Amino acid sequence: MLWLLALAPLLVLLYVALLRRRKKLALRFASIGLFKEAIGRRQGLRRHLPPLLFLAALLGLIAATARPTAVITLPSRHELVILAMDVSNSMRAADVEPDRLVAAQAAARAFVEQLPGSTRVAVVAFAATATVVQTPTHDKEAVYASIERFQLQRGTAIGSAILVSLKQIFPDIEYDLQSENPRPGGARGAQRRGGGGGGGSGGGGAQALPDAGAKAIPQAIAPGSYPSASIVLLTDGQVTAGPDPIEAARMAAERGVRVFTVGVGTLKGQTVGSEGWSMRVRLDEATLEQIAKITRADYVRASSAVGLEKAYRELGSRIVFEKKETEVTAVFSAVSAALAVLAAALSILWFGRIP
């Protein structure tokens, strides 16, 4: 449709030709004195402004028919945010003051507070297993209360956290929390990571369907293209239990859901222990970066309490406002209509006719 813009020079030439023809007619049928007086009244920019505005309106309408787009920042349509938080024993490390868990709870509250009221929030707590501690709700006070009730447990199952969170968005999704491969029909009984342990209080109200052939696998969509929900995962990234988190991230990517990751802790880490056991806990950035990359999201490191709060603020702004390629046909049409009305009004006001 933009080829029609090539008509603009022809329209200008036609306008010039009409002006010359009008002058010849005026000279033929009017006296020279009257002609000069008329020309003097209508000379200057004012004489040509209404036609110029009308030409601009016409060109704007032609551009509108091409359905133009622009990359602009708009409020996203996210209606649901799943907050998945690590409550494993490694979160007792004090390399983030006063410790990782307390700092994470404070930052999570600040994050939820800045979300728009139209956004529902769910909370998933995970250690060796993942549990939905707060179903999707608009009630922020209920979300704060669920965050305060966290209790530390053994193991870190990031894969389970992603899948249980995904289940809150797509109740029909099928997965297997009992093997390395979480996909239905995946290899069961694969070698588990050490230190995970069973235990925990169930699988978070989201259980895998045992019959892999019961439902057809939905067609995958582009990673990061699902606009109505996202997952925010906070952990130190040291996986010790549950299904493969990378494969779980791929399953989220196939549904278009982005998994924003926040790494809490330091690369140096710290030794933590209790009741006769101890272990060195370090931030595993590689896993968290890969999860974010696969799902077209972002990874942020939070190595201090202040950094953790800043990370959540950054993620909140990225979730609430996004740069998107948006059709702006309506803008072109509205501006063109305004120019056409202005051209007509000026022509009637100045010359008593429409150009």
Side-chain angles (χ1 to χ4, degrees), residues 67-75 321-329 331-332:
R67 301 183 66 180
T69 62
V71 178
I72 57 179
T73 300
L74 292 173
F321 294 96
E322 297 175 347
K323 289 185 177 180
K324 297 180 180 180
E325 185 173 337
T326 304
E327 186 174 327
V328 290
T329 300
V331 176
F332 277 75

Side-chain angles (χ1 to χ4, degrees), residues 15-33:
Y15 175 69
V16 172
L18 289 174
L19 287 180
R20 290 179 177 178
R21 183 171 179 271
R22 186 175 299 174
K23 287 182 181 179
K24 291 180 180 180
L25 291 175
L27 285 171
R28 181 178 302 176
F29 298 106
S31 67
I32 297 296

Side-chain angles (χ1 to χ4, degrees), residues 26 33 46 56 58 63 65 77 83 96 107 126 132 140 158 192 197 243 247 249 251 276 282 317 319:
R46 192 175 76 168
L58 182 61
T65 62
R77 292 177 292 169
L83 190 59
V96 177
F126 67 95
V132 179
K140 292 187 177 181
I158 293 178
R192 307 284 298 214
E247 192 62 32
M251 293 177 67
R282 298 182 179 88
S317 63
I319 292 173

Side-chain angles (χ1 to χ4, degrees), residues 52-347:
L52 181 63
L53 291 175
F54 191 79
L55 176 63
L58 182 61
L59 296 180
L61 290 175
I62 293 175
T65 62
R67 301 183 66 180
T69 62
V71 178
I72 57 179
T73 300
L74 292 173
S76 73
R77 292 177 292 169
H78 284 203
E79 300 171 354
L80 175 59
V81 172
I82 311 296
L83 190 59
M85 298 188 63
D86 191 343
V87 293
S88 63
N89 281 320
S90 60
M91 293 294 286
R92 71 172 67 244
D95 52 352
V96 177
E97 295 182 352
D99 62 45
R100 294 180 181 180
L101 181 62
V102 172
Q105 289 172 316
R109 287 192 298 270
F111 170 76
V112 173
E113 184 177 357
Q114 70 174 340
L115 291 175
S118 59
T119 300
R120 293 182 300 152
V121 182
V123 182
V124 172
F126 67 95
T129 59
T131 305
V132 179
V133 295
Q134 176 59 60
T135 56
T137 180
H138 291 104
D139 186 353
K140 292 187 177 181
E141 292 299 327
V143 175
Y144 301 150
S146 68
I147 293 173
E148 291 297 327
R149 291 195 297 266
F150 288 160
Q151 293 184 352
L152 297 179
Q153 304 172 37
R154 295 183 59 188
T156 304
I158 293 178
S160 297
I162 295 174
L163 294 172
V164 170
S165 298
L166 199 59
K167 187 78 170 180
Q168 297 299 300
I169 304 171
F170 302 105
D172 66 322
I173 194 170
E174 301 177 23
Y175 53 76
D176 183 1
L177 298 182
Q178 305 304 316
S179 69
E180 285 280 328
N181 186 354
R183 296 180 183 275
R188 293 182 179 273
Q191 183 178 358
R192 307 284 298 214
R193 298 177 182 84
S201 54
Q207 301 297 327
L209 297 177
D211 184 4
K215 294 183 181 179
I217 298 176
Q219 184 177 2
I221 62 176
S225 62
Y226 186 72
S228 299
S230 63
I231 298 171
V232 179
L233 176 73
L234 182 142
T235 178
D236 56 18
Q238 286 191 309
V239 180
T240 62
D244 181 10
I246 303 304
E247 192 62 32
R250 292 192 181 102
M251 293 177 67
E254 290 168 2
R255 295 283 185 136
V257 176
R258 291 184 295 174
V259 182
F260 295 87
T261 54
V262 181
V264 57
T266 60
L267 296 178
K268 182 179 178 181
Q270 190 179 62
T271 300
V272 297
S274 176
E275 299 178 355
W277 63 269
S278 65
M279 61 179 178
R280 187 77 178 178
V281 291
R282 298 182 179 88
L283 176 61
D284 180 7
E285 286 195 312
T287 298
L288 300 181
E289 288 175 343
Q290 192 172 359
I291 291 172
K293 181 179 180 181
I294 290 172
T295 61
R296 302 296 189 271
D298 299 296
Y299 163 72
V300 181
R301 183 204 296 181
S303 55
S304 66
V306 174
L308 186 56
E309 292 180 2
K310 181 180 179 181
Y312 264 124
R313 286 198 302 270
E314 290 180 358
L315 290 181
S317 63
R318 294 174 193 176
I319 292 173
V320 177
F321 294 96
E322 297 175 347
K323 289 185 177 180
K324 297 180 180 180
E325 185 173 337
T326 304
E327 186 174 327
V328 290
T329 300
V331 176
F332 277 75
S333 300
V335 172
S336 299
L339 290 175
V341 171
L342 180 61
L346 292 178
S347 183

